[in-house]
Amino acid sequence: DEVRALMKSKMTGEGDGDEEEKKVGEEGKEGETKNASCGDGGDRETDTSAAAGASGATAEDTAQSSSSGSVADSICFLLTNFTEMNKLWVRIQHMPSASGVIGGTASNHHHHRRGNDRQAQKEMRKRRERERNELRLLVGTNLVRLSQLDDRYVTSEMYGEIILPHILEQIVACRDPLAQAYLMDCIIQVFPDEFHLATLETFLGVCPKLREKVNIRTIVGSMMDRLSNYFDDARLVQSDAADANGETPGDEGGDGGDGSAASRQAAVAAITEVDAFHMFDRCIQRVYTAKGSSMPPKEVIRLQTALLNFSLKVYPDKMGQISECLGVCAKYLGGGSADKDGAVAGGALAPRELDSVAVDELEKLLSIPLDSLALRVLELDHYSDLLTFLPWDNRRQVAVVMLNAVLNSGTNLTDIGQIKEMLSIITPLIQDEPSGADNAAGGADGGVSRTTNLMGALGVGPGQPDGMFDGADADPNPLSFVDEQVLVGKLVHLLRSDDTDVAYEMLTVARRYLREGGKKRMAYTLTPVVFAAFELLDAVKKAEFMPAPPTDAPPPVPGASADDDKADAASPPDGDVASSAEAGNADPLAFNKAVNCRKLFVFLQETAAMIAQGDPELGFKLYLQIASVADRCAIAANAVGKTEEGSEYSAIAYEIMAQAFLLYEDEVSDSKAQQRSIVSMVGTLLACRTFEKDDYDALVTKTAQYAAKLLKKADQCKTVMLCAHLFYPTVRDGGANDSALRNPQRVLECLQRALKIADACCMASPANVQLFVDILDQYIYFYENDCPVITDKFISGLVALISEHMANIGAATTDSSAVAEARGHFERTIEYIKQKKNDDGTAELFAPILV
């Protein structure tokens, strides 16, 4: 009350002075515009000096009258001093410039001095702004002193009712952009956060009244940052205090002996109770209303970005607030008004054009929620709409950020609609920018359309790639491209569902989107789909070919009647699963899913064919893996007595192998790739167990023929000796068919063919002696495994042949690393044979071998 009385008396006594100050300020503004034609600056400077002296005297009188030193007097003095110093500070900007005097005294040389006068005015204006920047600290010091007064007397109520209204009144009245921006920032920085919370509505209500040149976004953003940091600090202190007391952060426990902790807990409750978001939102809406459609899109986006950041920090669980921010941007960029209450014009609105700065700000706005929300951004109403305003490259950057956020969160995608929306958002990563999109929106042009049609008749379309000339067929394998596609591939592994039918539908949706990326992308993005289908196939196989329960029946359930047993035994003949389930008599072990293993193999074969278009070698390997999985399904079916289905899956494995062989013949042309492919063929055929003898013989014979047709002799030798294993497969548990597939004579033929090729290679280069050592290892392997056509004479003769080759090489080429490696390998093989001779279990077998 004392402060109010003192302020009232001061304001009453200064009322006339304020009118005079306003008049002087207006005259100062007019004098600056008339400076170049009249030289009356001296008189105005005298008036200014007199006013400054009067203001100084007023401040001095105030200081003398407050000799009692009460807090009320201090507040009155500081507010009065602030008012007068601010007036003087603003008046400096309107002081007459020296160039006006020069212009008045040099009127006879007006035409010669006009350029110099303008330059002098600019220099004077810049110097005056520098002087004002240096003097602003003196004005702001008054606010600092006010904030440092004893908080027992200067409360948030006094601040909101007396101090802040007076300061804001002076800020609005001065009508100087530099002063308004600086003083608003001073208020934010110097006064406590609790005061800002209590007076937020009052502070924000002044923002629309500031001059147009004042950056409202900076002021509002600074206040948001101040309050959000205050909230973070308070929440951290609350969490620490709860941990010290063994409580959860939400518990209302003690402060652990620290009074500041209790105050911080109260602060968390206070800031969450205050609807600060909508206060800021109303302030921003008033700014939109004042500036109308002339406000540049980048400023609208920046304001909403600041508001969205504040909401995520202070109200992280309120998704509606984030949607409001995105909705304002979507409405304004779509051609409407940024004001929520603004009327929308009838008809289609033309979207606003975005410059590079606005595009960057919009990309930033869309990236901010991803770190904290990850997949939850799909729940936001206008997120996808805003993405359409971004250029293709910027949309791709947002998609990368989104994928990283989703992958880091580890959240699985369990809903098909969610998967579709997610894949739609990351479309720029999945496929290239549609060609001709800009031309399609350019309107109808008869001449252009006619030319396009004529070019199309010649086979040249606007969207057709120009091959090597535009790099369409070039290998798009820069690091960024590969990294982006790997991210997309990782997303496939987040598709999860306990229902196998739903999981299959998820993979189908993913493949439908990912196959639009073209041949090169599918090698990266569809391969994870294949392996996800393998995982799903394993689950379906276990359900479809579930082993029968043990024959020992469980003990009867107490209270069960014989009628129940009869009802359980009665099942519909010929088995319609759905109808029997409805009747309540379905076999609980019966497979009743729509997606079975057969349907998944069709899916896998189609997907592998898509991948093979861009990467034949990868497609070939996937075909082999699919065949191997089909063979395991046949084994599982045979194990539960479903021999007909086992034969069917064995036939599927054979058909898939045949497709792999066709792909090898047509598309795999590189010699190294061919060698790798043949090695994969041999491994797959040896892993399969259920092929019929005729089918197996056809496949292994074809593989041996491929090996014999390789371009390089050394590669031929290596692959032909590997093919020998195809004609003598190892007998495995459950592989009763393995013995029937053996053909020892073909084993000998393969090894002898490899010896002939190795001899030709050694004649060309002594370094190829390693081939003989490798063949020796194969002979020993088949000899140990009781291959009847491989005798000790073959091994003894080959050892002698290799020894002769080693002797013929001589010391001249001993420095060759290949020869040295082959020599060491041969010595270890001889040592192995000697160990077998001394071993009791194999001494009889290896005794005839001469080393």
Side-chain angles (χ1 to χ4, degrees):
D1 294 337
E2 182 181 359
V3 174
R4 290 192 184 93
L6 287 173
M7 290 300 300
K8 184 176 181 181
S9 63
K10 293 290 183 182
M11 294 301 105
T12 303
E14 294 173 359
D16 298 335
D18 289 342
E19 295 295 330
E20 183 179 354
E21 293 295 340
K22 292 181 181 179
K23 184 177 181 181
V24 172
E26 294 174 358
E27 291 176 355
K29 293 180 183 179
E30 295 175 359
E32 188 176 10
T33 59
K34 298 177 181 180
N35 236 354
S37 59
C38 62
D40 58 350
D43 296 337
R44 297 188 185 278
E45 291 181 359
T46 303
D47 294 340
T48 303
S49 301
S55 300
T58 303
E60 184 179 357
D61 293 341
T62 304
Q64 293 176 357
S65 62
S66 59
S67 57
S68 59
S70 66
V71 175
D73 292 333
S74 299
I75 295 174
C76 293
F77 171 77
L78 289 172
L79 290 176
T80 304
N81 201 44
F82 163 76
T83 302
E84 300 303 328
M85 292 183 69
N86 185 46
K87 292 177 181 178
L88 292 173
W89 185 48
V90 172
R91 192 177 299 162
I92 295 176
Q93 185 67 26
H94 307 293
M95 288 176 59
S97 62
S99 61
V101 179
I102 296 174
T105 58
S107 57
N108 294 331
H109 306 282
H110 177 71
H111 296 287
H112 300 283
R113 302 289 301 276
R114 180 182 299 176
N116 294 335
D117 291 348
R118 291 178 179 174
Q119 185 65 26
Q121 290 177 3
K122 291 181 180 179
E123 293 177 357
M124 181 63 68
R125 189 179 301 112
K126 292 180 180 179
R127 188 179 71 179
R128 191 176 297 155
E129 290 178 356
R130 287 196 301 269
E131 292 174 352
R132 291 194 65 198
N133 282 327
E134 294 172 358
L135 292 173
R136 65 180 182 176
L137 294 178
L138 297 177
V139 182
T141 302
N142 293 282
L143 301 183
V144 175
R145 295 292 179 265
L146 280 171
S147 66
Q148 294 174 345
L149 293 176
D150 194 340
D151 56 3
R152 293 177 298 175
Y153 303 101
V154 181
T155 61
S156 59
E157 291 79 8
M158 179 182 292
Y159 172 79
E161 295 177 8
I162 300 174
I163 299 176
L164 182 62
H166 181 80
I167 297 174
L168 295 178
E169 180 183 359
Q170 296 301 319
I171 292 174
V172 174
C174 71
R175 299 190 58 79
D176 180 73
L178 178 62
Q180 289 180 341
Y182 171 69
L183 295 175
M184 292 292 283
D185 186 65
C186 281
I187 294 175
I188 297 172
Q189 301 302 329
V190 303
F191 288 105
D193 299 312
E194 294 82 357
F195 288 9
H196 293 320
L197 275 178
T199 60
L200 185 59
E201 189 75 30
T202 304
F203 178 85
L204 295 177
V206 175
C207 292
K209 301 178 183 178
L210 303 179
R211 296 292 298 273
E212 187 175 356
K213 293 183 179 180
V214 178
N215 193 335
I216 304 296
R217 175 180 56 82
T218 303
I219 297 173
V220 176
S222 297
M223 180 62 80
M224 290 180 183
D225 292 340
R226 181 76 188 266
L227 293 182
S228 60
N229 292 334
Y230 172 64
F231 177 75
D232 288 341
D233 294 342
R235 185 166 49 185
L236 180 62
V237 171
Q238 181 186 20
S239 177
D240 293 342
D243 293 340
N245 293 321
E247 303 167 355
T248 60
D251 292 340
E252 296 295 334
D255 57 10
D258 187 0
S260 61
S263 63
R264 289 292 184 175
Q265 292 179 8
V268 172
I271 195 171
T272 51
E273 290 176 1
V274 174
D275 193 5
F277 174 84
H278 286 98
M279 291 183 186
F280 283 115
D281 186 43
R282 287 192 293 270
C283 173
I284 293 173
Q285 290 299 318
R286 287 194 292 267
V287 174
Y288 291 157
T289 303
K291 295 190 176 182
S293 59
S294 63
M295 195 170 187
K298 62 182 179 182
E299 290 301 324
V300 175
I301 298 172
R302 284 170 174 171
L303 282 169
Q304 294 303 321
T305 300
L307 190 58
L308 186 145
N309 255 325
F310 178 76
S311 177
L312 285 174
K313 291 181 179 180
V314 181
Y315 309 101
D317 297 329
K318 295 188 177 181
M319 300 285 288
Q321 295 179 355
I322 303 174
S323 295
E324 288 183 30
C325 299
L326 300 179
V328 170
C329 291
K331 178 182 176 183
Y332 190 74
L333 297 182
S337 172
D339 187 0
K340 293 181 180 179
D341 299 329
V344 179
L349 297 175
R352 287 183 167 83
E353 295 184 1
L354 303 182
D355 56 14
S356 59
V357 178
V359 168
D360 293 340
E361 292 297 331
L362 181 57
E363 180 182 340
K364 177 182 176 183
L365 171 68
L366 293 173
S367 301
I368 287 173
L370 296 176
D371 291 335
S372 56
L373 298 181
L375 274 178
R376 294 177 64 195
V377 298
L378 301 179
E379 304 172 13
L380 301 176
D381 295 335
H382 304 282
Y383 193 87
S384 300
D385 299 337
L386 278 178
L387 277 174
T388 60
F389 293 100
L390 285 176
W392 196 261
D393 289 340
N394 296 87
R395 290 177 61 185
R396 186 173 69 251
Q397 297 302 322
V398 174
V400 169
V401 176
M402 183 173 189
L403 277 180
N404 281 316
V406 172
L407 294 173
N408 292 334
S409 68
T411 305
N412 292 327
L413 285 81
T414 58
D415 180 70
I416 294 179
Q418 190 181 47
I419 295 171
K420 290 180 179 179
E421 188 171 358
M422 180 70 182
L423 292 173
S424 298
I425 290 176
I426 65 171
T427 297
L429 292 178
I430 297 175
Q431 62 187 29
D432 294 327
E433 183 177 8
S435 59
D438 296 336
N439 295 333
D445 188 343
V448 175
S449 300
R450 177 175 175 79
T451 302
T452 302
N453 293 333
L454 293 175
M455 293 292 288
L458 297 174
V460 181
Q464 179 178 349
D466 293 332
M468 65 178 180
F469 297 103
D470 64 354
D473 291 335
D475 189 13
N477 276 340
L479 182 61
S480 59
F481 173 83
V482 175
D483 291 341
E484 290 172 356
Q485 300 312 306
V486 168
L487 283 177
V488 177
K490 289 180 179 179
L491 181 67
V492 176
H493 296 293
L494 295 181
L495 309 183
R496 287 286 183 270
S497 177
D498 295 333
D499 189 338
T500 55
D501 290 347
V502 176
Y504 173 78
E505 183 65 24
M506 289 179 177
L507 294 179
T508 304
V509 170
R511 189 182 69 175
R512 187 186 311 135
Y513 278 87
L514 297 178
R515 70 184 179 186
E516 301 297 329
K519 299 178 181 179
K520 296 301 180 183
R521 281 186 173 87
M522 285 192 291
Y524 296 97
T525 57
L526 287 186
T527 303
V529 175
V530 172
F531 283 94
F534 283 151
E535 184 179 358
L536 176 61
L537 181 63
D538 188 55
V540 174
K541 181 183 68 175
K542 291 179 180 178
E544 187 173 359
F545 304 120
M546 183 179 295
T551 55
D552 296 336
V557 179
S561 63
D563 295 337
D564 294 336
D565 296 336
K566 293 179 181 179
D568 293 338
S571 59
D574 230 350
D576 185 73
V577 175
S579 61
S580 60
E582 293 175 0
N585 296 323
D587 184 0
L589 299 179
F591 183 76
N592 56 2
K593 294 291 184 180
V595 178
N596 55 14
C597 293
R598 189 181 303 105
K599 192 170 185 178
L600 278 171
F601 279 116
V602 174
F603 176 86
L604 286 167
Q605 188 273 335
E606 293 174 350
T607 310
M610 296 176 187
I611 296 173
Q613 298 175 11
D615 193 336
E617 185 179 0
L618 177 60
F620 171 80
K621 291 180 178 179
L622 290 176
Y623 272 130
L624 296 182
Q625 288 180 311
I626 296 171
S628 179
V629 172
D631 181 77
R632 291 200 294 271
C633 283
I635 294 174
N638 293 331
V640 296
K642 299 180 178 180
T643 56
E644 293 184 1
E645 295 186 19
S647 300
E648 181 181 352
Y649 287 114
S650 179
I652 291 176
Y654 176 79
E655 291 297 330
I656 297 296
M657 287 294 297
Q659 293 182 22
F661 283 19
L662 290 175
L663 180 62
Y664 171 84
E665 293 177 356
D666 296 339
E667 300 295 340
V668 182
S669 57
D670 180 73
S671 60
K672 292 298 182 183
Q674 287 178 341
Q675 182 189 5
R676 293 192 297 267
S677 300
I678 292 174
V679 173
S680 299
M681 290 180 192
V682 173
T684 303
L685 289 172
L686 289 175
C688 295
R689 304 184 184 184
T690 61
F691 286 130
E692 297 293 334
K693 181 174 176 54
D694 293 340
D695 294 342
Y696 183 80
D697 288 343
L699 293 174
V700 297
T701 302
K702 199 70 174 177
T703 304
Q705 292 174 356
Y706 291 150
K709 294 179 181 179
L710 290 178
L711 179 62
K712 296 180 180 180
K713 290 293 183 180
D715 294 340
Q716 286 184 21
C717 181
K718 294 175 183 178
T719 54
V720 168
M721 76 173 76
L722 281 179
C723 289
H725 291 270
L726 296 175
F727 300 100
Y728 202 79
T730 304
V731 178
R732 295 158 292 187
D733 294 338
N737 198 33
D738 292 336
S739 299
L741 300 178
R742 288 183 171 182
N743 189 342
Q745 187 61 37
R746 298 293 296 274
V747 174
L748 183 59
E749 292 176 5
C750 289
L751 294 178
Q752 289 177 343
R753 177 66 180 269
L755 281 172
K756 292 179 181 180
I757 300 173
D759 185 60
C761 292
C762 283
M763 293 179 63
S765 173
N768 288 321
V769 71
Q770 176 68 46
L771 296 174
F772 281 113
V773 183
D774 292 338
I775 296 173
L776 175 60
D777 290 343
Q778 302 300 324
Y779 269 98
I780 296 174
Y781 169 81
F782 288 110
Y783 183 72
E784 284 189 286
N785 283 275
D786 301 324
C787 183
V789 298
I790 305 299
T791 63
D792 58 281
K793 295 181 180 179
F794 288 109
I795 299 177
S796 299
L798 187 54
V799 169
L801 178 63
I802 297 173
S803 299
E804 182 180 354
H805 275 287
M806 291 293 182
N808 292 335
I809 291 174
T813 56
T814 53
D815 58 340
S816 171
S817 60
V819 173
E821 183 179 352
R823 193 184 302 275
H825 186 180
F826 179 63
E827 291 174 354
R828 289 190 295 272
T829 302
I830 297 300
E831 184 179 354
Y832 174 79
I833 296 174
K834 292 179 180 179
Q835 290 177 354
K836 290 294 183 179
K837 283 176 172 286
N838 297 325
D839 191 354
D840 295 336
T842 57
E844 182 179 356
L845 180 65
F846 280 83
I849 299 176
L850 303 177
V851 295

